[in-house]
Amino acid sequence: METFESLLAAVAADSGREVLNPATGELIGHVAQHTEKDLDAAVEKAAAAQKEWAKKSDEERVAALMKAADEVEQNAGALAEIICREQGKPLSGPGANFEAGAVVGWMRATCATELKPEEIDLGDGKKATVHHRPVGVVGGVNPWNWPAMIATWQFAPALRMGNSIVMKPASDTPLSVLATAYLVNKHLPEGLLTVLTGPGSLGGAISAHPGFAKITFTGSTETGKKIAEAASQNLARLTLELGGNDAGIVLPDVDGKEIAEGLFWGAFINTGQTCACLKRLYVHEDVYDDVVGALVEVAKQMPMGDGMDEKNVLGPLTNESQQKIVADLVNDAKNRGGNVLFEGEVAGGDKGFFHPLTLIDSLPADARLITEEQFGPALPIIKYSDVDDAIEQANSVEVGLGASVWSKDPAKAAEVAARIEAGTVWINSHGTINPMAPFGGIKQSGYGVEFGVEGLKAFTVPQVIHS
Ligand code: NAD
């Protein structure tokens, strides 16, 4: 069984880019900085490996991936420690242990999902059968917020469907992805799953490389646009999972105490650094004091600090630039007349990239904390009196990833949900993604979906046989 030390030693380099713990500033290790030459070599190897892998039956591929999932499960504690020390999310709560478990869960769910050929009756005794063939070699570029889990969202369906993949993690969180791939690769043929580490420009080189038949990207809308442009030169297929600015609408029939914890984790899972987490909360005036009061009470119970200390459930921002962005947006909100409802404490975090948990209301609708995607532990709360107005405000942004409606009335909640412009709308929860249900954004939150049958299909090309 791996320990934190043995797993780190297996994947870290002797020199290269320094990886720092965002909670303490301490050096965790170094990672290699791969070049375009390394990329060429990895693509060549991946192409050869894919040819053999595609010849295997689905059962053989599933068997290998299930063994790899068991391997991750057996070493989940060591992986979680790498995630915690590198990305900052605490071991406790829905944190690093949860993320390591999600790697296993997603791999197994990907194996359990069935994508069968589809038969179309053409009449006169003739039929067309749609087969889902592998795309070929896939390029994956992933972000720093849920590094191991999001890398799994890319490699698991790609491999299941007979492809190979070359992935680049974000510069701040390469070790979590290298460690995941190291465990998985113990059960896969060489060259199928390769992780290259390096700066954003290496991601640019991946998106422009003619060896990739598909690029799958999770990250910011800005980078997604650059990737789409580069990939268009080779007409590589694309899945883009981009930024969000999720709204939650609380209807006037709720009980504040019943929903407060769900609202809290909807907003602050991973200290707010989650693509589909609650970033704007619209609360009806009839229940405003009740809901806000209950939310503040929950917030008081949630300690922030170094995630290796099991009492902490909120951690630092993953890097200094995120810390500055969040501080800027919160300061701007305060300057625009925002009323701070709650500001948390940070225990022993003076060396890390922390920002205190902040709940704030009385903001003008155009405050940047409301209109821009903020990736941190701050939540603007907006009082509304007319649900049509709340829906209009929820839809007023360029992105459309997730949203939520909170109500005791399922029919009313479903009616409001249908009017929100977002790829996923949760009722009485937020961000509770599930590997069996498709997930993806609309508007500038990207295109394509991940998970479920649709997610598997995204790693295939149709071939239609007429007979
Ligand atoms: P980012 O776009 O800055 O970086 C993502 C990855 O792209 C990194 O690996 C980075 O090195 C690489 N990259 C940078 N420049 C590139 C270029 N020109 N070409 C190719 N690759 C390049 O995003 P981030 O800051 O790491 O992640 C946060 C963002 O990700 C947020 O906007 C968040 O909403 C989004 N996100 C979306 C989802 C989703 O499922 N929709 C999930 C998680 C995160």
Side-chain angles (χ1 to χ4, degrees):
M1 212 161 80
E2 301 284 353
T3 59
F4 165 74
E5 286 77 14
S6 69
L7 192 53
L8 181 65
V11 298
D14 295 335
S15 60
R17 190 179 199 269
E18 289 187 343
V19 182
L20 304 178
N21 182 332
T24 61
E26 79 189 322
L27 177 71
I28 310 168
H30 293 85
V31 287
Q33 294 296 282
H34 290 114
T35 62
E36 293 193 27
K37 230 171 145 188
D38 297 320
L39 174 60
D40 287 338
V43 173
E44 199 177 313
K45 262 188 161 178
Q50 192 268 331
K51 282 205 169 62
E52 296 310 310
W53 183 243
K55 286 182 198 157
K56 292 195 184 295
S57 68
D58 186 46
E59 289 72 24
E60 287 173 304
R61 294 199 293 259
V62 163
L65 288 168
M66 289 296 277
K67 270 197 196 148
D70 293 346
E71 180 79 37
V72 179
E73 187 174 48
Q74 281 151 22
N75 296 292
L79 178 60
E81 210 172 308
I82 289 192
I83 295 169
C84 174
R85 288 180 194 261
E86 178 180 63
Q87 191 272 330
K89 66 171 66 69
L91 291 172
S92 301
N97 281 313
F98 168 84
E99 181 170 359
V103 169
V104 179
W106 244 276
M107 289 182 73
R108 289 182 179 151
T110 304
C111 288
T113 307
E114 290 298 335
L115 175 59
K116 298 228 179 327
E118 294 148 41
E119 275 194 5
I120 302 161
D121 185 349
L122 302 176
D124 295 333
K126 299 215 173 284
K127 66 176 182 191
T129 309
V130 185
H131 295 271
H132 304 288
R133 309 293 192 206
V135 180
V137 185
V138 175
V141 180
N142 36 72
W144 47 260
N145 57 342
W146 290 90
M149 183 174 77
I150 291 178
T152 307
W153 295 355
Q154 300 187 345
F155 75 71
L159 297 176
R160 165 78 197 278
M161 297 321 293
N163 307 285
S164 58
I165 183 165
V166 177
M167 284 195 312
K168 189 199 94 67
S171 314
D172 291 323
T173 52
L175 294 169
S176 303
V177 180
L178 285 166
T180 306
Y182 169 76
L183 296 171
V184 170
N185 270 331
K186 289 186 181 180
H187 301 276
L188 293 178
E190 218 195 312
L192 265 191
L193 166 59
T194 307
V195 178
L196 297 180
T197 48
S201 57
L202 185 64
I206 289 177
S207 56
H209 199 289
F212 293 111
K214 175 180 171 103
I215 304 292
T216 179
F217 172 71
T218 299
S220 64
T221 296
E222 194 189 342
T223 307
K225 288 179 185 176
K226 289 185 193 155
I227 289 195
E229 197 180 340
S232 72
Q233 294 311 305
N234 306 307
L235 292 179
R237 286 169 159 74
L238 276 181
T239 297
L240 298 177
E241 294 286 5
L242 310 178
N245 190 355
D246 291 14
I249 299 182
V250 179
L251 300 184
D253 63 5
V254 299
D255 178 332
K257 280 204 183 70
E258 279 176 16
I259 64 167
E261 194 154 339
L263 287 174
F264 181 87
W265 285 116
F268 298 117
I269 185 168
N270 196 19
T271 317
Q273 302 167 103
T274 300
C275 53
C277 74
L278 191 48
K279 296 189 174 110
R280 301 172 287 150
L281 182 61
Y282 296 90
V283 183
H284 192 274
E285 59 186 2
D286 288 358
V287 286
Y288 193 83
D289 291 345
D290 176 39
V291 171
V292 170
L295 188 54
V296 168
E297 285 311 307
V298 172
K300 284 181 188 165
Q301 314 302 319
M302 303 292 181
M304 176 183 283
D306 183 350
M308 289 302 292
D309 179 341
E310 301 230 342
K311 79 168 186 306
N312 293 323
V313 292
L314 298 169
L317 281 314
T318 301
N319 55 48
E320 199 171 1
S321 71
Q322 276 302 318
Q323 186 193 31
K324 284 209 172 88
I325 291 169
V326 177
D328 261 12
L329 293 179
V330 171
N331 287 336
D332 179 68
K334 288 178 180 169
N335 292 336
R336 301 274 324 258
N339 166 47
V340 177
L341 297 158
F342 176 76
E343 195 160 63
E345 283 170 20
V346 179
D350 51 337
K351 287 203 205 90
F353 304 133
F354 289 93
H355 185 90
L357 181 63
T358 309
L359 301 176
I360 192 161
D361 73 355
S362 306
L363 289 169
D366 65 348
R368 289 174 56 212
L369 191 65
I370 297 175
T371 60
E372 293 179 23
E373 178 185 39
Q374 54 89 14
F375 233 47
L379 181 68
I381 309 179
I382 304 112
K383 191 189 280 186
Y384 75 88
S385 52
D386 173 18
V387 74
D388 290 339
D389 181 41
I391 295 170
E392 198 179 313
Q393 288 189 58
N395 290 341
S396 66
V397 293
E398 298 280 298
V399 284
L401 189 58
S404 56
V405 182
W406 303 74
S407 170
K408 284 186 177 163
D409 179 345
K412 181 73 190 157
E415 189 193 307
V416 174
R419 293 172 60 198
I420 300 180
E421 295 165 0
T424 301
V425 184
W426 289 276
I427 292 174
N428 294 328
S429 71
H430 196 116
T432 45
I433 49 172
N434 185 295
M436 307 307 282
F439 172 71
I442 59 170
K443 294 162 84 175
Q444 295 208 11
S445 289
Y447 40 72
V449 292
E450 295 179 293
F451 321 153
V453 179
E454 293 300 317
L456 286 187
K457 213 180 256 183
F459 286 93
T460 65
V461 284
Q463 185 190 42
V464 186
I465 307 280
H466 286 250
S467 59

